[in-house]
Amino acid sequence: MAGRTAKQSRSGAGNSVRKGPTEQEDEELPLQAVLIADSFNRRFFPITKDQPRALLPLANVSMIDYTLEFLTSTGVQETFIFCCWMSNKIKDHLLKSKWCRPTSPNTVHIITSDLYRSLGDVLRDVDAKALIRSDFVLVYGDVVSNIDVTQALQEHRQRRKFDKNISVMTMIFKESSPGHKSRCGEDDVMVVMDSKSKRVLHYQKTQGLRKLQFPMNIFHSGSEEYEIRHDLLDCHISICSPQVAQLFTDNFDYQTRNDFVRGILVNEEILGNQIHMHVTKDGYGARVSNMLMYDAVSSDMIRRWVYPLTPEANFSDQEGQRCTHSRHNVYRGPGVSLGHGSQMEENVLIGRDTSIGANCFISNSVIGANCSIGNNVVLDRAYIWSNVNVASNVEVHQSVICDGVAVKEGVTLKDQCVLAFNVVVGPNLTLSEGTVVSMHHPDEEEEDDDDEFLSDDAETGHSKGVTKQKAFNPAEVGTEGKGYIWKNPSLDDTEEDELAQCLWGLVLNADLESDSESEASEGSQEPGSRGMSPELDDVKVFQAEVQGTLQRGLEENIGCDNLVLEINSLKYAYNITLKEVMQILMRVVLEYPFYQQGAQLTAAQYTALLLPLLKIWAPVFKNYVKRAQDHLDCLTSMEEFFLEHEGHWAALVKVLMNTYQLEILEEDAIMRWFSQGATSDKSRQLRKNQGLLKFIQWLEEAEESSEGDE
C-alpha cells in the first residue's frame, strides 16, 4: 500500500492549484483498467484450441504479461481481467505470476465466465457489478506497448472536468505511415477529427474498400479546421469514462469497440456524447491480431523497438527467463549450447537449456526453452516455442512451431507454415507455403461449431474426440508424421462482411458492389502497391517509408539534404543495399503521379505531373547515383516500371530526356542501357518505340558533334 500512496502523491506534486471536491475525489481514486483476455474470434485456430491467445509466447513471454506490464508502468493500480476461453489456464498463469504477489503495485482481479461472447458482454457485466469508479483504461490481452498515456489521460480528465457526460472515450493512435510492418492492414482506418479539440467526427475501417464516403454533416459540425488522417496506427488502447459501460448496457447491439464508436458518432446529436483521440509520435503500440502481426511484433521486440521491454530485462520476473544480450541483438538464455560452425547472424533469441547442433545458420528467429536443434539447420524468421525437437538438415522460413513438436530430418517449411502443439512431421518432407498442421482434425470444427465458447469443463470431453479421428496421412505429414492438415476457414463463412479470417491475416474477397470504373483502375495494381495488405518484407516496408518521406518533403517543404538523411536512416533500419535504395527511389518517384491522382492518368497528364517532381528531387538522386553501375541500376528500375505501364511508353522518352538534362543520368549509361539491356521480348519491343529511337539518335548525333568540336 505504501507504493500506491507514493504514486498518488507524486501525481499531485507541483500542482498548487486548489482542486474542487469532485476533481480531487477523481484523482484520489486509483486508476483502473479492464483487460479482455479473450479475442472472441477463431483467428489463431488451431493453435488456440490448446492454449488461449493471451498465454501464447511472444519472445518467450506470455502476451498477457506484456499488457499487464504496460498497464502497471502507466500507473494503473487496479486491473480487472475478464476470461472466457480456457479461463482456468489464464487464472493459473496469473496466480503464479508477479502480478498476484502482495508487493505488486497493480492489484489484479480475475473474473471468469463461459457466457462472455464479446467485448459488449464484458462491459455490460462491468456495469452490472459496478466495478468501475472513475476513468479506466480498456485494452485487450494481446496488446504490446510502451506508450506513456499520461498526457492522454490528463487531456481526457480535463475535458471531463468541464462536462462529465460529453467525452466518453479517448482512443490512442500512433503516427505510422501506411505499409509499416507494425501496422496491421486489417485495422487501417480513416479518421476525420477536429484539429483543435481532437474530437472524432468520422471513423471508418478502410480494409477492402475501393472508395471512401464521408457524411456531409461532419463538415457542418461547427469545427473551423479538420484533419483527415490515414497515417495512424490503432494501438487498441482506450481511455474510457464510467459511462462507457453504461452505454453498452443501454445498447445491446454494441458488441465491439467499433460498434460503440459508430453508434456514438451516429447518435452524437441525440445523446450528446463525444469520442476524442490522442495521437502520439513516440512509443510503441500494437495488437497481435494475427500471425503477420505476431511476426512483426516479435521482430520489433528482438530489435529493441519496445524498450524497456527487452528480452534480457525479464520484466515478468520468471525463473530461468534471464538472458544475455550481445552484438547484433543476439540473446542467449542460461544453459544454451552452440555447436561448432553454427552462426547466429542477427536478431536471435534462444531460451534456456536449448542446444544447437553444428553448422547451423540462424537469423531473425526466436527459440524457446528446452529445445534441441540438429546439425545443418537453417532458421530464418522461425518462431520455435518450448520443448521442440528439430532434427538435422531442416529449413524453416517465416513459420511458427508450437510446444512439443518434432520436426524430423530433411524437412523444409516454406513461408507461413504453422505446426500446432505436439505435431510430428517428416522425415524428408516439404510443406508448401501456408500449410497448417494440427493434432485436431478439421472435422472437429464442423462437428462442434461453438467449441470456442465452451467452458473449461467441456474442454476435456472435446479433446477425447481426437482418438476417434482418421489415421494420419503420410503424404501430408510424412511417414513418421502425426497430425492433420488444417484447412482455412471457408470464404463463405466470413465473420466480417467480405473479409475471410485466417491465421496470417484477412483474405480479401471480391467486392461485387464496387463500380466497374473503380475495378478497372484499382484491380490492376501490383501486389504490394497501395490498397493491398502490406507484406512484412523489409524492402516493401522501406519502399512505403520512402514514399512517405518524399510526400512529407513536398508538404512541409523539407530540403533534399534532410530527405537524404532520412532515407539513409531508413536504409540502415531495414538493412537495404545501396543498389536497392536507388532502384526503389526511382520506382517511388515514377509511381508518385499515380499515387496522387490514380492509375487513370494519360501519358501526357502523367508527364506533366512527374517532370516537376524530378526537378525537385534531382539532388536526392545525385546523392546516390554516382558510379556507372548506379546509372544502369536506375535505368533498369525505370525500364521495369514502364514495362508494367505499357500505356505510358510515350512518357519514357521525356523522363529520359529530363533525367539527362538534370544530370541525374549520363549519356554513356543511357546508350549502354539501350544497346545491352534488353532481356525479354517486351523489353526489345520497348526499344523499338519510335520516340525512344529518335532520342537515342539525338544522343548519338550530339556525341558526334561534341567529338567534332574537339
Side-chain angles (χ1 to χ4, degrees):
M1 293 299 292
R4 295 179 197 171
T5 305
K7 190 174 289 187
Q8 289 170 1
S9 65
R10 281 197 302 273
S11 67
N15 192 345
S16 60
V17 179
R18 187 181 178 116
K19 300 180 176 68
T22 306
E23 183 186 351
Q24 192 170 359
E25 182 183 340
D26 284 348
E27 293 201 6
E28 287 177 355
L29 289 171
L31 179 59
Q32 297 175 296
V34 171
L35 190 158
I36 315 297
D38 203 317
S39 60
F40 305 115
N41 63 42
R42 302 164 185 258
R43 171 54 54 79
F44 276 73
F45 268 24
I47 295 175
T48 47
K49 277 180 165 286
D50 298 296
Q51 186 85 320
R53 189 197 295 191
L55 297 187
L56 299 183
L58 189 144
N60 294 342
V61 176
S62 297
M63 291 188 199
I64 196 171
D65 289 329
Y66 290 106
T67 313
L68 284 167
E69 181 68 20
F70 157 69
L71 291 174
T72 305
S73 67
T74 58
V76 170
Q77 296 168 267
E78 186 176 29
T79 300
F80 297 94
I81 301 178
F82 290 83
C83 318
C84 176
W85 177 238
M86 295 191 178
S87 56
N88 281 347
K89 286 191 174 185
I90 298 174
K91 189 173 182 178
D92 290 345
H93 172 83
L94 292 172
L95 291 175
K96 295 174 184 176
S97 71
K98 75 173 189 177
W99 312 113
C100 287
R101 295 174 190 168
T103 55
S104 173
N106 184 359
T107 302
V108 169
H109 306 280
I110 307 166
I111 301 171
T112 65
S113 172
D114 58 359
L115 299 178
Y116 299 141
R117 296 291 186 274
S118 67
L119 170 67
D121 290 342
V122 170
L123 290 177
R124 282 184 274 273
D125 199 31
V126 168
D127 185 43
K129 291 182 166 71
L131 300 175
I132 296 300
R133 302 185 294 278
S134 63
D135 297 329
F136 66 97
V137 180
L138 177 64
V139 68
Y140 277 93
D142 49 14
V143 169
V144 177
S145 178
N146 63 0
I147 292 174
D148 184 358
V149 300
T150 305
Q151 184 182 348
L153 187 62
Q154 289 174 349
E155 292 171 357
H156 180 82
R157 285 173 171 167
Q158 189 70 18
R159 283 188 287 265
R160 284 178 42 75
K161 186 175 73 171
F162 293 109
D163 193 331
K164 277 188 172 292
N165 297 316
I166 292 294
S167 181
V168 294
M169 178 182 285
T170 300
M171 305 167 70
I172 310 289
F173 292 90
K174 183 180 184 303
E175 285 192 0
S176 178
S177 58
H180 193 277
K181 67 177 183 177
S182 64
R183 179 168 164 169
C184 180
E186 301 159 18
D187 290 330
D188 277 351
V189 292
M190 186 73 71
V191 182
V192 182
M193 72 172 186
D194 183 305
S195 299
K196 185 176 180 181
S197 67
K198 309 301 180 188
R199 176 163 65 100
V200 176
L201 303 174
H202 182 67
Y203 177 91
Q204 183 178 13
K205 285 199 169 188
T206 60
Q207 174 77 14
L209 296 180
R210 300 182 188 277
K211 288 185 176 181
L212 293 172
Q213 295 181 341
F214 300 98
M216 287 301 297
N217 65 302
I218 67 176
F219 302 108
H220 301 288
S221 60
S223 301
E224 296 179 356
E225 187 177 336
Y226 309 91
E227 290 183 26
I228 300 177
R229 304 288 297 263
H230 187 52
D231 61 336
L232 301 176
L233 182 156
D234 186 352
C235 299
H236 292 277
I237 302 166
S238 305
I239 299 171
C240 306
S241 70
Q243 286 96 322
V244 168
Q246 298 167 13
L247 287 166
F248 270 90
T249 299
D250 295 340
N251 298 272
F252 271 85
D253 56 334
Y254 291 175
Q255 299 300 330
T256 66
R257 191 188 67 165
N258 286 337
D259 292 340
F260 175 80
V261 172
R262 285 196 297 266
I264 293 297
L265 295 180
V266 168
N267 300 310
E268 183 176 323
E269 291 185 8
I270 301 172
L271 301 176
N273 302 128
Q274 295 178 356
I275 294 175
H276 292 78
M277 58 191 289
H278 174 81
V279 180
T280 178
K281 295 182 180 180
D282 303 316
Y284 185 94
R287 186 181 179 196
V288 185
S289 54
N290 56 43
M291 276 298 173
L292 281 180
M293 288 304 297
Y294 180 90
D295 184 1
V297 177
S298 296
S299 173
D300 290 340
M301 183 67 62
I302 301 303
R303 294 169 188 247
R304 309 177 74 79
W305 285 108
V306 202
Y307 186 87
L309 301 183
T310 55
E312 82 278 11
N314 191 22
F315 65 87
S316 60
D317 198 22
Q318 295 180 13
E319 187 178 352
Q321 280 294 107
R322 298 193 180 279
C323 62
T324 59
H325 174 227
S326 55
R327 290 178 59 195
H328 306 302
N329 293 329
V330 174
Y331 307 83
R332 294 174 64 165
V336 171
S337 63
L338 189 66
H340 178 71
S342 289
Q343 299 179 45
M344 294 186 291
E345 188 183 43
E346 61 177 357
N347 307 315
V348 175
L349 168 60
I350 303 180
R352 68 181 187 277
D353 300 324
T354 286
S355 63
I356 311 290
N359 301 313
C360 296
F361 182 84
I362 306 173
S363 64
N364 304 299
S365 298
V366 177
I367 304 175
N370 302 305
C371 294
S372 175
I373 310 296
N375 301 325
N376 304 307
V377 172
V378 176
L379 303 177
D380 179 33
R381 292 168 75 187
Y383 301 97
I384 299 174
W385 297 356
S386 299
N387 303 303
V388 172
N389 189 297
V390 177
S392 299
N393 303 308
V394 168
E395 289 191 25
V396 181
H397 302 278
Q398 196 192 4
S399 296
V400 175
I401 301 177
C402 300
D403 293 352
V405 169
V407 182
K408 300 295 184 179
E409 187 167 356
V411 170
T412 297
L413 303 187
K414 301 289 188 181
D415 288 357
Q416 300 187 357
C417 288
V418 175
L419 304 184
F421 291 88
N422 303 313
V423 159
V424 180
V425 292
N428 303 316
L429 178 73
T430 297
L431 294 183
S432 59
E433 181 176 342
T435 301
V436 180
V437 184
S438 170
M439 291 301 291
H440 298 277
H441 196 281
D443 289 346
E444 291 179 17
E445 188 79 355
E446 299 173 5
E447 293 169 4
D448 196 351
D449 192 51
D450 293 327
D451 59 0
E452 183 182 0
F453 303 114
L454 291 174
S455 65
D456 290 318
D457 295 334
E459 292 170 27
T460 307
H462 168 72
S463 63
K464 291 178 182 176
V466 176
T467 58
K468 302 176 183 178
Q469 299 297 347
K470 303 172 184 177
F472 306 124
N473 185 347
E476 293 179 342
V477 295
T479 55
E480 300 177 25
K482 296 179 182 178
Y484 306 96
I485 300 296
W486 183 267
K487 62 183 179 182
N488 287 330
S490 169
L491 294 182
D492 297 328
D493 299 328
T494 59
E495 299 182 19
E496 298 182 8
D497 302 327
E498 286 91 14
L499 298 174
Q501 295 191 358
C502 66
L503 263 171
W504 292 90
L506 292 179
V507 179
L508 196 60
N509 288 340
D511 184 0
L512 300 178
E513 298 181 0
S514 62
D515 65 36
S516 57
E517 289 184 11
S518 177
E519 289 176 0
S521 64
E522 297 187 331
S524 61
Q525 289 181 348
E526 293 294 318
S529 64
R530 60 190 178 88
M532 303 294 288
S533 299
E535 298 178 17
L536 281 178
D537 179 15
D538 281 351
V539 174
K540 296 286 185 184
V541 179
F542 175 78
Q543 181 171 331
E545 292 277 15
V546 170
Q547 178 181 292
T549 298
L550 295 180
Q551 181 180 358
R552 192 168 62 256
L554 284 178
E555 294 169 351
E556 301 176 12
N557 198 25
I558 298 173
C560 286
D561 290 343
N562 290 329
L563 292 179
V564 168
L565 288 174
E566 190 161 340
I567 292 171
N568 285 341
S569 67
L570 292 170
K571 170 185 177 293
Y572 293 116
Y574 294 104
N575 196 24
I576 302 297
T577 66
L578 189 59
K579 177 180 178 180
E580 289 170 330
V581 170
M582 290 181 291
Q583 291 178 328
I584 290 170
L585 179 63
M586 178 60 75
R587 173 168 281 275
V588 166
V589 172
L590 293 176
E591 286 180 347
Y592 202 86
F594 294 139
Y595 175 75
Q596 286 181 306
Q597 302 292 335
Q600 73 280 358
L601 292 174
T602 64
Q605 292 170 331
Y606 171 80
T607 305
L609 289 169
L610 178 65
L611 297 188
L613 296 175
L614 285 173
K615 186 174 182 179
I616 293 170
W617 291 325
V620 179
F621 280 105
K622 291 177 183 178
N623 182 77
Y624 297 106
V625 184
K626 296 177 179 178
R627 303 170 303 163
Q629 186 59 45
D630 299 340
H631 291 263
L632 289 175
D633 291 337
C634 276
L635 285 161
T636 301
S637 181
M638 186 186 298
E639 179 181 353
E640 288 174 356
F641 173 83
F642 280 102
L643 288 177
E644 295 167 9
H645 298 82
E646 191 171 348
H648 293 76
W649 281 7
L652 171 61
V653 180
K654 293 187 177 181
V655 173
L656 282 171
M657 172 67 81
N658 205 251
T659 53
Y660 170 69
Q661 291 175 337
L662 291 169
E663 298 182 350
I664 296 173
L665 297 176
E666 293 178 350
E667 175 185 334
D668 292 343
I670 297 173
M671 300 288 289
R672 184 178 169 193
W673 161 79
F674 180 80
S675 60
Q676 301 178 4
T679 56
S680 65
D681 291 341
K682 199 170 182 180
S683 182
R684 282 184 279 274
Q685 184 182 349
L686 173 68
R687 283 162 172 74
K688 294 178 182 178
N689 179 275
Q690 288 300 313
L692 181 57
L693 289 172
K694 289 180 180 178
F695 173 65
I696 296 298
Q697 183 181 357
W698 177 80
L699 283 179
E700 290 173 343
E701 291 173 353
E703 184 179 12
E704 291 171 359
S705 175
S706 62
E707 289 176 355
D709 292 341
E710 291 175 2

